[in-house]
Protein backbone atom coordinates (compact mmCIF):
# COMPACT_ATOMS: atom_id res chain seq x y z
CA UNK A 1 0.00 0.00 0.00
CA UNK A 2 1.07 3.53 -0.75
CA UNK A 3 -0.33 6.46 1.17
CA UNK A 4 -0.27 9.87 -0.45
CA UNK A 5 -0.83 13.15 1.37
CA UNK A 6 -1.20 16.39 -0.55
CA UNK A 7 -0.59 19.84 0.84
CA UNK A 8 -0.08 23.38 -0.35
CA UNK A 9 -3.53 24.22 -1.64
CA UNK A 10 -5.30 27.44 -0.79
CA UNK A 11 -6.84 30.65 -2.06
CA UNK A 12 -4.84 32.79 -4.46
CA UNK A 13 -5.60 35.67 -6.81
CA UNK A 14 -5.44 35.23 -10.55
CA UNK A 15 -1.86 35.53 -11.75
CA UNK A 16 -0.49 34.20 -8.50
CA UNK A 17 1.42 31.01 -7.72
CA UNK A 18 1.11 27.97 -5.50
CA UNK A 19 3.25 24.92 -5.00
CA UNK A 20 1.53 21.66 -4.19
CA UNK A 21 3.38 18.85 -2.47
CA UNK A 22 2.55 15.18 -2.24
CA UNK A 23 4.33 13.07 0.35
CA UNK A 24 4.34 9.33 -0.26
CA UNK A 25 4.76 6.53 2.24
CA UNK A 26 6.19 4.00 -0.20
CA UNK A 27 9.66 2.67 0.56
CA UNK A 28 10.13 2.28 -3.14
CA UNK A 29 8.83 5.72 -4.04
CA UNK A 30 11.53 6.07 -6.66
CA UNK A 31 9.94 3.19 -8.60
CA UNK A 32 6.61 4.93 -9.01
CA UNK A 33 5.29 7.10 -11.76
CA UNK A 34 3.59 10.07 -10.12
CA UNK A 35 0.78 12.20 -11.44
CA UNK A 36 -1.39 15.16 -10.58
CA UNK A 37 -5.07 15.29 -11.43
CA UNK A 38 -7.79 17.82 -10.68
CA UNK A 39 -11.54 17.89 -10.43
CA UNK A 40 -13.57 21.07 -10.66
CA UNK A 41 -17.16 21.26 -9.38
CA UNK A 42 -19.54 19.55 -11.76
CA UNK A 43 -16.72 18.25 -13.95
CA UNK A 44 -14.92 14.98 -14.36
CA UNK A 45 -11.47 14.47 -12.95
CA UNK A 46 -8.80 15.39 -15.48
CA UNK A 47 -5.12 14.64 -15.85
CA UNK A 48 -2.80 17.58 -15.17
CA UNK A 49 0.80 16.36 -15.19
CA UNK A 50 2.98 13.30 -14.74
CA UNK A 51 6.57 12.36 -14.06
CA UNK A 52 8.10 8.92 -14.33
CA UNK A 53 10.37 7.36 -11.72
CA UNK A 54 13.45 8.54 -13.62
CA UNK A 55 12.17 12.14 -13.73
CA UNK A 56 11.42 11.85 -17.43
CA UNK A 57 8.04 10.97 -18.85
CA UNK A 58 6.89 14.54 -18.35
CA UNK A 59 3.41 15.12 -19.69
CA UNK A 60 1.05 18.04 -19.19
CA UNK A 61 -2.49 18.78 -20.18
CA UNK A 62 -2.45 21.52 -22.81
CA UNK A 63 -4.23 24.04 -20.60
CA UNK A 64 -1.34 24.16 -18.09
CA UNK A 65 1.68 23.90 -20.39
CA UNK A 66 4.11 26.72 -19.76
CA UNK A 67 2.50 27.54 -16.41
CA UNK A 68 2.75 24.35 -14.32
CA UNK A 69 5.85 22.28 -13.60
CA UNK A 70 5.90 18.83 -12.05
CA UNK A 71 9.02 17.61 -10.26
CA UNK A 72 10.03 14.98 -7.77
CA UNK A 73 12.55 14.50 -5.00
CA UNK A 74 13.06 10.79 -4.51
CA UNK A 75 15.19 11.36 -1.42
CA UNK A 76 12.20 13.03 0.23
CA UNK A 77 9.52 10.74 -1.23
CA UNK A 78 7.78 13.84 -2.51
CA UNK A 79 6.38 15.08 -5.79
CA UNK A 80 5.61 18.73 -6.44
CA UNK A 81 3.41 20.76 -8.72
CA UNK A 82 4.56 24.34 -9.15
CA UNK A 83 1.65 26.37 -10.48
CA UNK A 84 2.30 29.85 -11.86
CA UNK A 85 0.09 32.38 -13.62
CA UNK A 86 -2.95 30.80 -12.07
CA UNK A 87 -6.34 31.37 -13.64
CA UNK A 88 -9.84 31.08 -12.17
CA UNK A 89 -10.39 28.01 -14.36
CA UNK A 90 -7.59 26.26 -12.44
CA UNK A 91 -9.89 26.15 -9.42
CA UNK A 92 -10.35 22.52 -8.44
CA UNK A 93 -9.47 19.83 -5.96
CA UNK A 94 -6.02 18.58 -6.90
CA UNK A 95 -5.13 14.94 -6.39
CA UNK A 96 -1.81 13.17 -6.33
CA UNK A 97 -1.58 9.66 -7.77
CA UNK A 98 1.03 6.90 -7.94
CA UNK A 99 1.44 3.83 -10.10
CA UNK A 100 4.03 1.40 -11.39
CA UNK A 101 3.06 1.92 -15.02
CA UNK A 102 6.03 3.02 -17.10
CA UNK A 103 4.43 3.52 -20.50
CA UNK A 104 2.14 6.35 -21.54
CA UNK A 105 -0.72 6.59 -20.86
CA UNK A 106 0.25 5.86 -17.31
CA UNK A 107 -2.08 4.03 -14.97
CA UNK A 108 -2.37 4.85 -11.32
CA UNK A 109 -3.16 2.57 -8.40
CA UNK A 110 -3.03 4.93 -5.42
CA UNK A 111 -4.64 8.30 -4.81
CA UNK A 112 -4.40 11.00 -2.21
CA UNK A 113 -7.31 12.72 -0.52
CA UNK A 114 -6.92 15.93 -2.48
CA UNK A 115 -6.17 19.55 -1.72
CA UNK A 116 -8.36 22.49 -2.69
CA UNK A 117 -7.02 25.21 -4.96
CA UNK A 118 -9.19 28.28 -5.43
CA UNK A 119 -8.19 31.07 -7.80
CA UNK A 120 -10.13 34.30 -7.48
CA UNK A 121 -10.54 36.73 -10.37
Amino acid sequence: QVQLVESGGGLVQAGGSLRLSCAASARTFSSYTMGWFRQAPGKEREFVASVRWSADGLYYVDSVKGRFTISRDNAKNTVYLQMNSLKPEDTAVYYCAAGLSSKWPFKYDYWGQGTQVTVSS
Side-chain angles (χ1 to χ4, degrees), residues 5-8 19-23 34-38 45-51 59-61 68-71 78-83 93-98 108 111 114-115 117:
V5 179
E6 302 97 335
S7 61
R19 187 175 82 155
L20 305 183
S21 299
C22 173
M34 302 299 296
W36 285 98
F37 290 75
R38 65 187 179 185
R45 185 170 59 191
E46 70 166 347
F47 166 80
V48 175
S50 68
V51 58
Y59 294 93
Y60 297 91
V61 66
F68 290 12
T69 302
I70 188 172
S71 62
T78 302
V79 63
Y80 305 97
L81 185 67
Q82 177 67 43
M83 306 186 295
V93 177
Y94 283 71
Y95 297 92
C96 174
Y108 300 90
W111 296 84
T115 185
V117 171

Side-chain angles (χ1 to χ4, degrees), residues 48-66:
V48 175
S50 68
V51 58
R52 210 159 41 183
W53 65 272
S54 52
D56 60 358
L58 299 172
Y59 294 93
Y60 297 91
V61 66
D62 286 347
S63 59
V64 308
K65 286 180 179 177

Side-chain angles (χ1 to χ4, degrees), residues 5-18:
V5 179
E6 302 97 335
S7 61
L11 173 64
V12 64
Q13 288 188 334
S17 298
L18 283 175

